Amino acid sequence: MPTRSTVARLLGSALVLTSLTLVGPSPAAVGATRAEGLQAAEPASLVSAPASGWTPRPEDFPKTVTQTDVKIPMSDGVVLRADVKRPADASGQAIATPLPVLVTITAYNKTVLATGGGGLAGADPGFLVKRGYVNVTVDARGTGSSRGRWNAFGARENKDGGEVMEWAHSQPWSNGTTGMTGPSYMGISQLWAASAKPTGLKAIFPQVPGADVYRDIVASGGQLDVGFIPLWLGLVTFTGLIPPAFTPSEPLSAIGALVDHLVAAGTFTSPLLVKAALGGDPNYDGPFYKERSVINVADQIDVPAFFVSGEYDLFQRGTPLLFENLRKRGVPAKMIVGPWDHLQASSGKEIAKAGYGTLGELQLRWFDHWLKNQPDAALDSDIPNLTYFDQGPDTWRTSSEWITHQQASSFRLSGSATNGKPAALTSGASQDGVSNVLPVPVAGLCTRSANQWTAGVVNQLWSRNPCLKNNRVNDKLGVVFQTDPVTSPVKIQGPINAHLFASSNSGDGMLSVAVEDVAPNGKVSRLTGGWQVLSHRKLDESRTRYMDGKIIQPYHPFTRADQKKLGRGEVAPIDVEVFPTAATIRPGHRLRLAVQAFDIPHLLPAAHLAVGTLTVMKVHTSAQYPSELTLPTVP
């Protein structure tokens, strides 16, 4: 029979296959542009190596030692379990001196993460432990070796985060100063814990955390995520059934933990999936998702945070919102946004390409400054607040903020497009037209979206897949609108809105849009995408984001009460939130907007709405129906 460690190693490898979590144109560019509202923009700068010459300090200790399944009692009597890794001397004896503590809270079984977690555990904790830190990895309530019932960032689990940090603060091997690390679920856990303001917490390092559960991932645009969420729920359940390491010494406790996990699977996970598929409350935003969306408590976070985000990540939308929240309130925050999917950004293996060192080195510098109070006068000059990958030129750039002096630049859709013939995208006058968007239920398969919304699994299985680099084939399954070749760069940075006037034979359907770069040789690069169900078109204007009077980030309620189909023959404006990105359309290239009716395997409707999606939608362009794409651009 395989040992628990063998099973854990196999599952760690399996995580790669199943995933863990869940500049505007000049007037000459493409015709006349709006002249009003122009501002002098802060120019982005190219990234170079740290000017100060900072280098990581050497190890303080030669070895580490780990105590497994340490009990952490919660205020309601439930016991969580943690593995505690401490620095050790040459003989393997733990160092007695109290040290700063770094905590990771995971739902994926700490034993699996200890074997590498399929590359998703982030940096090797031993790197920091040998440099004078204690690492504590905790199984979240109802997962791994911990007791209780898991329900995916429910209120009780979120309260656990603060209590775990208070525990870490008070242990004899702790000097009272704490920080937190980890990607994805572990990144979100950091933010919930920080919102509780636990004693001693000085800084966090969340990689690819989500902000708004419903809009970021569960039901982007109003349809259900079927590419990732079922795998994620199954993964947490499956890794929770690995027998705890303490089974031989505490058989009753181990059996109790397994029973808790099985009960949660039967009372939370399975019913949730069934209700969602059949059109129940999980299809709609409301109290369930509000309780689980850390953006709702972000204003309570006041510790320095270093974010890592991916332009093709599951939380492409949410991580920048969290960064912006902290920055606006004066909380020290930095963010690196790279050309990464969820697996890539979680592992951090390519983060050194941003120019500041490896993930472990970045964490060392961050925590040495904030937890060990080591002076680092060059930290902010070496690592600006924002470092991002500029798609197109494929260059790393820096800025002070995500949204600085951008202006809203709008391009009108013009004329009629067919599946084989593009229509125009122009900043000048548009022509009347109607474009039929046909229901092709394989649209999305041959795109980077298929990789993004399976957390990067497609790239892991077939990294040379041409669909990841060229959207040309997929674009033939819908209609496209594109500019003439631009004559000066169109620089995009931030969230985007596609304001489309649409009608539908059934009164419903989903608009799946992609903003793309078309090279002179015909290669089509997907820059970002967005989705919107027609019946969920209602806007909450108080939470919608505007720039120069134009919407750049619409906010839809997505409630059952606000859902309303289009009437027969009705043409209505549909604002499609296109997720934020940074890209430059270079001279000679074209800006393209592609519109389709499906995004497979990412999204599907609930069963009761499925028939309504197999319909022809129409996109209207005219003076009466001014469909347009609005970009936050940097002059």
CSV table of all heavy atoms in Angstrom, one decimal, residues 447-476:
chain,number,residue,atom,x,y,z
A,447,THR,N,-8.1,29.2,-28.1
A,447,THR,CA,-7.7,30.5,-27.6
A,447,THR,C,-6.8,30.4,-26.3
A,447,THR,O,-6.8,29.3,-25.7
A,447,THR,CB,-8.9,31.4,-27.3
A,447,THR,OG1,-9.5,30.9,-26.1
A,447,THR,CG2,-9.9,31.4,-28.4
A,448,ARG,N,-6.2,31.5,-26.0
A,448,ARG,CA,-5.5,31.5,-24.7
A,448,ARG,C,-6.5,31.5,-23.6
A,448,ARG,O,-6.1,31.2,-22.4
A,448,ARG,CB,-4.6,32.8,-24.7
A,448,ARG,CG,-3.7,32.9,-23.5
A,448,ARG,CD,-2.5,33.7,-23.7
A,448,ARG,NE,-2.7,35.0,-24.2
A,448,ARG,CZ,-1.8,35.8,-24.8
A,448,ARG,NH1,-0.6,35.3,-24.9
A,448,ARG,NH2,-2.1,36.9,-25.2
A,449,SER,N,-7.7,31.9,-23.8
A,449,SER,CA,-8.7,31.8,-22.8
A,449,SER,C,-8.9,30.4,-22.2
A,449,SER,O,-9.1,30.2,-21.0
A,449,SER,CB,-10.1,32.3,-23.3
A,449,SER,OG,-11.1,32.2,-22.4
A,450,ALA,N,-8.8,29.4,-23.1
A,450,ALA,CA,-9.0,28.0,-22.7
A,450,ALA,C,-7.9,27.7,-21.7
A,450,ALA,O,-8.1,26.9,-20.7
A,450,ALA,CB,-8.9,27.1,-23.9
A,451,ASN,N,-6.7,28.2,-21.9
A,451,ASN,CA,-5.6,28.0,-20.9
A,451,ASN,C,-5.8,28.8,-19.7
A,451,ASN,O,-5.6,28.3,-18.5
A,451,ASN,CB,-4.3,28.3,-21.6
A,451,ASN,CG,-3.1,28.1,-20.6
A,451,ASN,OD1,-2.8,27.0,-20.2
A,451,ASN,ND2,-2.5,29.2,-20.2
A,452,GLN,N,-6.2,30.0,-19.8
A,452,GLN,CA,-6.3,30.9,-18.6
A,452,GLN,C,-7.4,30.3,-17.7
A,452,GLN,O,-7.1,30.3,-16.5
A,452,GLN,CB,-6.8,32.3,-19.1
A,452,GLN,CG,-7.0,33.2,-17.9
A,452,GLN,CD,-7.2,34.7,-18.4
A,452,GLN,OE1,-7.2,35.0,-19.6
A,452,GLN,NE2,-7.5,35.6,-17.4
A,453,TRP,N,-8.5,29.9,-18.2
A,453,TRP,CA,-9.6,29.5,-17.3
A,453,TRP,C,-9.6,28.0,-16.9
A,453,TRP,O,-10.5,27.5,-16.3
A,453,TRP,CB,-10.9,29.9,-17.9
A,453,TRP,CG,-10.9,31.4,-18.0
A,453,TRP,CD1,-10.7,32.2,-19.1
A,453,TRP,CD2,-11.0,32.4,-16.9
A,453,TRP,NE1,-10.7,33.5,-18.8
A,453,TRP,CE2,-10.9,33.7,-17.5
A,453,TRP,CE3,-11.2,32.2,-15.6
A,453,TRP,CZ2,-10.9,34.8,-16.7
A,453,TRP,CZ3,-11.3,33.4,-14.8
A,453,TRP,CH2,-11.1,34.7,-15.4
A,454,THR,N,-8.5,27.3,-17.2
A,454,THR,CA,-8.2,26.1,-16.6
A,454,THR,C,-6.9,26.2,-15.8
A,454,THR,O,-6.2,25.2,-15.5
A,454,THR,CB,-8.0,25.0,-17.7
A,454,THR,OG1,-7.0,25.4,-18.6
A,454,THR,CG2,-9.3,24.7,-18.4
A,455,ALA,N,-6.6,27.5,-15.4
A,455,ALA,CA,-5.5,27.8,-14.5
A,455,ALA,C,-4.1,27.6,-15.1
A,455,ALA,O,-3.1,27.7,-14.4
A,455,ALA,CB,-5.6,27.0,-13.2
A,456,GLY,N,-4.0,27.3,-16.4
A,456,GLY,CA,-2.7,27.1,-17.0
A,456,GLY,C,-2.4,25.6,-17.4
A,456,GLY,O,-1.4,25.3,-17.8
A,457,VAL,N,-3.5,24.8,-17.2
A,457,VAL,CA,-3.3,23.3,-17.5
A,457,VAL,C,-3.0,23.1,-18.9
A,457,VAL,O,-2.1,22.2,-19.2
A,457,VAL,CB,-4.5,22.6,-17.0
A,457,VAL,CG1,-4.5,21.1,-17.5
A,457,VAL,CG2,-4.7,22.6,-15.5
A,458,VAL,N,-3.6,23.8,-19.8
A,458,VAL,CA,-3.4,23.6,-21.3
A,458,VAL,C,-2.0,23.8,-21.6
A,458,VAL,O,-1.3,23.1,-22.3
A,458,VAL,CB,-4.3,24.5,-22.1
A,458,VAL,CG1,-4.0,24.4,-23.6
A,458,VAL,CG2,-5.8,24.1,-21.9
A,459,ASN,N,-1.4,24.9,-21.1
A,459,ASN,CA,0.0,25.2,-21.3
A,459,ASN,C,0.9,24.2,-20.8
A,459,ASN,O,2.0,23.8,-21.4
A,459,ASN,CB,0.3,26.6,-20.7
A,459,ASN,CG,1.8,27.0,-21.0
A,459,ASN,OD1,2.2,27.1,-22.1
A,459,ASN,ND2,2.5,27.3,-19.9
A,460,GLN,N,0.6,23.6,-19.6
A,460,GLN,CA,1.4,22.5,-19.0
A,460,GLN,C,1.4,21.3,-19.9
A,460,GLN,O,2.4,20.6,-20.0
A,460,GLN,CB,0.9,22.2,-17.6
A,460,GLN,CG,1.1,23.3,-16.6
A,460,GLN,CD,2.5,23.6,-16.3
A,460,GLN,OE1,3.3,22.6,-16.2
A,460,GLN,NE2,2.9,24.8,-16.1
A,461,LEU,N,0.2,21.0,-20.5
A,461,LEU,CA,0.1,19.8,-21.3
A,461,LEU,C,0.7,19.9,-22.7
A,461,LEU,O,1.2,19.0,-23.2
A,461,LEU,CB,-1.4,19.4,-21.4
A,461,LEU,CG,-2.1,18.9,-20.0
A,461,LEU,CD1,-3.5,18.7,-20.3
A,461,LEU,CD2,-1.4,17.7,-19.4
A,462,TRP,N,0.6,21.1,-23.2
A,462,TRP,CA,1.0,21.3,-24.6
A,462,TRP,C,1.4,22.8,-24.8
A,462,TRP,O,0.7,23.6,-25.3
A,462,TRP,CB,-0.2,21.0,-25.6
A,462,TRP,CG,0.2,21.0,-27.0
A,462,TRP,CD1,1.4,21.1,-27.6
A,462,TRP,CD2,-0.7,21.1,-28.1
A,462,TRP,NE1,1.4,21.1,-29.0
A,462,TRP,CE2,0.0,21.1,-29.3
A,462,TRP,CE3,-2.1,21.0,-28.2
A,462,TRP,CZ2,-0.6,21.1,-30.6
A,462,TRP,CZ3,-2.7,21.1,-29.5
A,462,TRP,CH2,-1.9,21.1,-30.7
A,463,SER,N,2.6,23.1,-24.4
A,463,SER,CA,3.1,24.5,-24.3
A,463,SER,C,3.3,25.1,-25.7
A,463,SER,O,3.2,26.3,-25.9
A,463,SER,CB,4.4,24.6,-23.6
A,463,SER,OG,5.4,23.8,-24.2
A,464,ARG,N,3.4,24.2,-26.7
A,464,ARG,CA,3.6,24.7,-28.1
A,464,ARG,C,2.3,24.7,-28.9
A,464,ARG,O,2.3,24.8,-30.1
A,464,ARG,CB,4.6,23.8,-28.8
A,464,ARG,CG,6.0,23.8,-28.1
A,464,ARG,CD,7.0,23.0,-28.9
A,464,ARG,NE,7.4,23.6,-30.1
A,464,ARG,CZ,8.3,23.2,-31.0
A,464,ARG,NH1,9.0,22.0,-30.7
A,464,ARG,NH2,8.6,23.8,-32.1
A,465,ASN,N,1.2,24.6,-28.2
A,465,ASN,CA,-0.1,24.7,-28.8
A,465,ASN,C,-0.3,26.0,-29.5
A,465,ASN,O,-0.2,27.1,-28.9
A,465,ASN,CB,-1.2,24.6,-27.7
A,465,ASN,CG,-2.6,24.6,-28.2
A,465,ASN,OD1,-2.9,24.9,-29.4
A,465,ASN,ND2,-3.5,24.2,-27.4
A,466,PRO,N,-0.5,26.0,-30.8
A,466,PRO,CA,-0.6,27.3,-31.6
A,466,PRO,C,-1.7,28.1,-31.2
A,466,PRO,O,-1.7,29.4,-31.4
A,466,PRO,CB,-0.7,26.8,-33.1
A,466,PRO,CG,-1.2,25.4,-33.0
A,466,PRO,CD,-0.6,24.8,-31.7
A,467,CYS,N,-2.8,27.5,-30.6
A,467,CYS,CA,-3.9,28.3,-30.1
A,467,CYS,C,-3.6,29.3,-29.0
A,467,CYS,O,-4.3,30.3,-28.8
A,467,CYS,CB,-5.0,27.4,-29.7
A,467,CYS,SG,-5.7,26.3,-30.9
A,468,LEU,N,-2.5,29.0,-28.3
A,468,LEU,CA,-2.1,29.9,-27.2
A,468,LEU,C,-1.4,31.2,-27.7
A,468,LEU,O,-1.3,32.2,-27.0
A,468,LEU,CB,-1.1,29.2,-26.3
A,468,LEU,CG,-1.6,27.9,-25.6
A,468,LEU,CD1,-0.5,27.3,-24.7
A,468,LEU,CD2,-2.9,28.2,-24.8
A,469,LYS,N,-1.0,31.2,-29.0
A,469,LYS,CA,-0.3,32.3,-29.6
A,469,LYS,C,-1.0,33.0,-30.7
A,469,LYS,O,-0.7,34.2,-31.0
A,469,LYS,CB,1.1,31.8,-30.1
A,469,LYS,CG,2.0,31.1,-29.1
A,469,LYS,CD,2.5,32.1,-28.1
A,469,LYS,CE,3.5,31.4,-27.1
A,469,LYS,NZ,4.0,32.3,-26.1
A,470,ASN,N,-2.0,32.4,-31.2
A,470,ASN,CA,-2.7,33.0,-32.4
A,470,ASN,C,-4.2,32.7,-32.3
A,470,ASN,O,-4.6,31.5,-32.3
A,470,ASN,CB,-2.1,32.4,-33.7
A,470,ASN,CG,-2.5,33.2,-34.9
A,470,ASN,OD1,-3.5,33.9,-34.9
A,470,ASN,ND2,-1.7,33.1,-36.0
A,471,ASN,N,-5.0,33.8,-32.3
A,471,ASN,CA,-6.4,33.7,-32.1
A,471,ASN,C,-7.1,33.6,-33.5
A,471,ASN,O,-8.4,33.7,-33.6
A,471,ASN,CB,-7.0,34.8,-31.3
A,471,ASN,CG,-7.7,34.4,-30.1
A,471,ASN,OD1,-7.2,33.6,-29.4
A,471,ASN,ND2,-8.9,35.0,-29.8
A,472,ARG,N,-6.4,33.5,-34.5
A,472,ARG,CA,-6.9,33.7,-35.9
A,472,ARG,C,-8.0,32.7,-36.2
A,472,ARG,O,-9.1,33.0,-36.8
A,472,ARG,CB,-5.8,33.6,-36.9
A,472,ARG,CG,-6.2,33.9,-38.3
A,472,ARG,CD,-5.0,33.9,-39.2
A,472,ARG,NE,-5.3,34.3,-40.6
A,472,ARG,CZ,-4.4,34.4,-41.6
A,472,ARG,NH1,-3.1,34.3,-41.3
A,472,ARG,NH2,-4.8,34.7,-42.8
A,473,VAL,N,-7.8,31.4,-35.9
A,473,VAL,CA,-8.8,30.4,-36.2
A,473,VAL,C,-10.1,30.6,-35.4
A,473,VAL,O,-11.2,30.6,-35.9
A,473,VAL,CB,-8.2,29.0,-35.8
A,473,VAL,CG1,-9.3,27.9,-35.9
A,473,VAL,CG2,-7.1,28.6,-36.8
A,474,ASN,N,-9.9,30.9,-34.1
A,474,ASN,CA,-11.1,31.1,-33.2
A,474,ASN,C,-11.9,32.3,-33.7
A,474,ASN,O,-13.1,32.3,-33.5
A,474,ASN,CB,-10.7,31.3,-31.8
A,474,ASN,CG,-11.8,31.2,-30.8
A,474,ASN,OD1,-12.4,30.1,-30.6
A,474,ASN,ND2,-12.2,32.3,-30.3
A,475,ASP,N,-11.3,33.3,-34.2
A,475,ASP,CA,-12.0,34.5,-34.6
A,475,ASP,C,-12.9,34.3,-35.7
A,475,ASP,O,-13.9,35.1,-35.9
A,475,ASP,CB,-11.0,35.6,-35.0
A,475,ASP,CG,-10.4,36.4,-33.7
A,475,ASP,OD1,-10.8,36.0,-32.6
A,475,ASP,OD2,-9.6,37.3,-33.9
A,476,LYS,N,-12.7,33.2,-36.5
A,476,LYS,CA,-13.6,32.9,-37.6
A,476,LYS,C,-15.0,32.3,-37.1
A,476,LYS,O,-15.9,32.2,-37.9
A,476,LYS,CB,-13.0,31.9,-38.5
A,476,LYS,CG,-11.7,32.4,-39.2
A,476,LYS,CD,-11.2,31.4,-40.2
A,476,LYS,CE,-9.9,31.9,-40.8
A,476,LYS,NZ,-10.1,33.1,-41.6
